Amino acid sequence: MRYINANEILPKELVEKLQDFIQGEYIYIPAIKDHHKSWGEVSGFRKEIDRRNNEIINAYSSGSSIQELAEYYCLSVYAIRKIIYSK
């Protein structure tokens, strides 16, 4: 998350009103529920995890053992099982 100076995006009157409550501190303004992005959506990491998980499932279907996959992907056997049996 990056911080934005309120003076850059908010009207002067609103900044002055906010300063009645808080000055020189960080404030978090949550997203509206319908506009909230899910984990990894902004960074693209969710797509990377999904791609990796599909590779794991395909490798398992092609005969790789759970132990081999755990070692190759540096994950626990439990994590590999969870990925395989989730689909």
Side-chain angles (χ1 to χ4, degrees):
M1 174 185 334
R2 67 182 187 89
Y3 297 101
I4 301 170
N5 186 324
N7 289 318
E8 294 176 8
I9 62 167
L10 299 176
K12 181 181 179 191
E13 298 80 22
L14 181 54
V15 172
E16 290 172 355
K17 189 64 178 170
L18 286 170
Q19 287 171 330
D20 290 343
F21 298 94
I22 188 169
Q23 292 185 34
E25 301 289 333
Y26 297 117
I27 184 169
Y28 172 75
I29 301 173
I32 298 171
K33 188 173 185 177
D34 293 340
H35 294 92
H36 181 75
K37 296 188 189 286
S38 61
W39 177 87
E41 187 177 353
V42 173
S43 67
F45 196 62
R46 177 78 259 162
K47 286 183 181 178
E48 285 297 312
I49 294 292
D50 289 341
R51 182 191 55 75
R52 182 210 61 193
N53 290 353
N54 286 330
E55 283 180 9
I56 290 170
I57 292 166
N58 291 337
Y60 181 73
S61 297
S62 297
S64 295
S65 73
I66 291 175
Q67 184 64 43
E68 290 170 336
L69 294 169
E71 290 173 13
Y72 181 80
Y73 287 98
C74 299
L75 295 171
S76 69
V77 168
Y78 173 78
I80 296 294
R81 282 190 184 125
K82 189 174 171 185
I83 291 165
I84 291 169
Y85 300 128
S86 70
K87 299 281 180 167

